[in-house]
Amino acid sequence: MSTYSRHLSPALAFGVAAAGIGLFSIMDAFMKSLVLVMGVYNALLWRTGTSVIISGVAWRLSGAVRPSGRVARLHLLRGSITAAMALLFFWGLARVPMAQAIALTYIAPILALLLGAVLLGERVGVRVVGASFGALGGVAVILLGQRSAAPGPDALAGALAILASAALYAVNLVVARVQAQAAGPAEIAFVQSAIVTAILLLAAPWLLALPPLSEWWKIVAGACLATASLFLLAWAYAHGETGYLATTEYTSFVYAAVLGWAVFGESVAATTLAGAAIIVAACLYAARRRDIAQAAMEAAA
């Protein structure tokens, strides 16, 4: 068994995963700004291309080893899923407020719980299931409060794209768990970025355009944030169960609400804040799950 599959403290894995989600949320704000200027294809291509350079250096310094055939297939599978998932999500993100976009993605952890149990044989305790449905209740409060908001012309299409992305993300979470058992964080960050970039380059003859000079700092910042997030999430998923760590996804709403308001002037309603409080409470409740901690200690023994 790979050294990356050793179980440490579940609370530590939860905290690292939450930090990874936080960095990804900040990256989302950079990407929304880039998509509004450059379109989703070029924003994603140039960001992932820059990530290849950054993560490639990190992988080399960590002692890069050529992955086996099985691991390479896992990389290809996750990279392909990520490419489709990212295109759908960032296209939708440019058309709906950040907080609403993130709220729609919260179907993913619930699907990941079910997929983790069915495909990986992971235990899904009552506490995690209850916390997940509690968090969905928070999302429902948010969406009910936004019913009276005036949507943009492409808001429905954007919402549907985000829902499709969330379904792919649920599969991605499960693949990430399997992948993290067989490869290190540096390898995962580099190879995933390289595969996504290679897939996007297939459309370069028709869609590729150079970014404006004024946008390059956002591309580099987004690439650094995405790479750091992949490192943290890869480490976390190597040391914790998919269903347990999937609940950290709910913390992204808090980041999205704050960033949407501060960067894009998107208002945050009282119902949005109430829903966020419910979500955070549910995540804290899930983080106290003792049967996972007991299972980890038994595995270590």
Side-chain angles (χ1 to χ4, degrees):
M1 182 178 291
S2 169
T3 57
Y4 294 103
S5 65
R6 291 179 300 172
H7 284 271
L8 298 179
S9 166
L12 177 60
F14 187 93
V16 171
I21 294 298
L23 294 183
F24 239 126
S25 298
I26 299 171
M27 183 273 295
D28 284 345
F30 278 101
M31 283 297 294
K32 177 165 184 169
S33 177
L34 288 168
V35 171
L36 290 172
V37 173
M38 302 166 51
V40 65
Y41 174 80
N42 282 288
L44 188 57
L45 174 62
W46 289 103
R47 194 218 73 193
T48 55
T50 305
S51 293
V52 171
I53 298 172
I54 297 170
S55 57
V57 171
W59 187 36
R60 182 68 177 176
L61 293 175
S62 68
V65 178
R66 183 175 178 178
S68 66
R70 173 182 175 273
V71 176
R73 288 190 292 274
L74 282 172
H75 288 321
L76 181 60
L77 174 60
R78 190 180 178 199
S80 301
I81 294 170
T82 299
M85 177 187 75
L87 284 169
L88 287 166
F89 177 77
F90 290 121
W91 187 87
L93 183 63
R95 288 158 175 80
V96 300
M98 285 190 67
Q100 180 181 340
I102 295 302
L104 291 171
T105 66
Y106 286 151
I107 65 167
I110 294 296
L111 293 175
L113 283 169
L114 300 175
L115 289 172
V118 172
L119 300 179
L120 304 182
E122 295 181 351
R123 292 187 299 122
V124 180
V126 174
R127 186 184 291 272
V128 168
V129 173
S132 298
F133 281 101
L136 281 179
V139 172
V141 171
I142 294 161
L143 295 180
L144 286 173
Q146 292 181 342
R147 287 179 61 186
S148 59
D154 295 325
L156 178 59
L160 292 175
I162 290 169
L163 287 172
S165 176
L168 289 175
Y169 190 43
V171 181
N172 186 56
L173 286 172
V174 177
V175 176
R177 170 64 173 158
V178 179
Q179 182 189 42
Q181 299 295 307
E187 179 183 324
I188 291 172
F190 168 68
V191 178
Q192 179 170 313
S193 295
I195 290 173
V196 173
T197 301
I199 291 172
L200 292 173
L201 282 173
L202 296 175
W206 302 277
L207 300 177
L208 182 65
L210 287 173
L213 289 176
S214 60
E215 301 301 309
W216 268 106
W217 75 273
K218 298 178 186 177
I219 293 172
V220 174
C224 290
L225 289 166
T227 301
S229 178
L230 281 172
F231 268 77
L232 293 175
L233 290 171
W235 186 94
Y237 274 85
H239 296 86
E241 293 189 353
T242 301
Y244 181 52
L245 297 181
T247 58
T248 63
E249 298 294 320
Y250 297 127
T251 64
S252 61
F253 178 82
V254 179
Y255 298 108
V258 173
L259 290 167
W261 168 75
V263 180
F264 302 103
E266 298 167 355
S267 61
V268 181
T271 50
T272 299
L273 294 175
I278 296 171
I279 291 166
V280 171
C283 289
L284 292 175
Y285 179 71
R288 296 175 55 218
R289 201 181 108 177
R290 295 181 180 178
D291 56 334
I292 287 292
Q294 182 62 36
M297 288 188 288
E298 291 172 356

